[in-house]
Amino acid sequence: MDFNKIRLAEADDDWDGISSAVQILRHYPHIRIKISSEKIVPSEKSTLVLDKETSGEGFVIDHHETNNSKNFVKFCRDGTIPTSTLVYQVLGDVADDTDLFLSSTAEITDGLDRHGLQKGNLKKLLEKFPHFSQDSGYITQYLNSRQVYAISDILSLI
């Protein structure tokens, strides 16, 4: 994918869409970001559609099983990998630890933390930064099988 040809990124307004857009913007600041609750958006060949569907010719990165878009850059048909993690994968060598963190948080907020802990970016993050995984002292902590205190406490505060 040649991100230099992209002028606009249309992202969903949930954390998966927003964290996907943040990853794109960090590495390609020339791309204008539009975040909205619209689930199907019009698009042109210079548009990247994140975590939603398009009725146009734009390029799509998504994980929703019902997405009928044409031009997928990356798609998780069974929905177990959030868009933010797919963006991390598409970024390839330009992706860094901040992108890994952002995509891991989306695995949590999209309720895909079990999959993420088994074989996703959450697993990679905790292997690279084991201090992120320990019991939380906050009652707002909602992960039960394994406590991811730094990530989920930050998200709870948000």
Side-chain angles (χ1 to χ4, degrees):
M1 164 105 227
D2 186 358
F3 288 104
N4 293 313
K5 293 182 179 178
I6 300 298
R7 297 288 164 242
L8 171 66
E10 288 266 4
D12 195 17
D13 65 350
D14 65 5
W15 183 245
D16 190 21
I18 293 168
S19 60
S20 298
V22 169
Q23 288 181 77
I24 296 296
L25 187 60
R26 290 184 65 245
H27 300 285
Y28 301 96
H30 72 277
I31 298 177
R32 186 172 67 89
I33 304 293
K34 180 180 176 189
I35 297 170
S36 73
S37 61
E38 297 172 67
K39 299 305 178 195
I40 302 175
V41 295
S43 66
E44 300 175 356
K45 284 280 189 188
S46 61
T47 306
L48 178 63
V49 179
L50 303 168
D51 201 32
K52 54 175 66 185
E53 186 174 339
T54 183
S55 57
E57 298 299 317
F59 296 98
V60 178
I61 302 175
D62 191 28
H63 70 123
H64 295 101
E65 298 171 36
T66 58
N67 194 322
N68 294 310
S69 300
K70 300 175 195 169
N71 299 321
F72 288 104
V73 174
K74 191 88 171 172
F75 183 56
C76 176
R77 188 159 307 283
D78 67 7
T80 58
I81 303 172
T83 301
S84 190
T85 298
L86 298 174
V87 167
Y88 176 84
Q89 294 170 357
V90 169
L91 287 172
D93 291 342
V94 301
D96 59 21
D97 290 343
T98 300
D99 300 302
L100 179 62
F101 182 85
L102 286 166
S103 61
S104 296
T105 60
E107 290 178 353
I108 295 171
T109 60
D110 259 21
L112 301 169
D113 47 284
R114 282 199 172 103
H115 183 271
L117 284 167
Q118 290 174 353
K119 49 186 160 185
N121 280 5
L122 193 50
K123 179 181 180 184
K124 286 182 192 175
L125 181 77
L126 297 178
E127 287 171 351
K128 193 166 187 175
F129 302 103
H131 65 279
F132 283 145
S133 179
Q134 65 184 26
D135 288 343
S136 171
Y138 293 96
I139 60 172
T140 54
Q141 169 60 264
Y142 65 91
L143 286 180
N144 296 320
S145 60
R146 184 168 182 184
Q147 305 299 317
V148 186
Y149 83 98
I151 298 170
S152 53
D153 288 344
I154 290 168
L155 293 173
S156 296
L157 291 172
I158 292 171

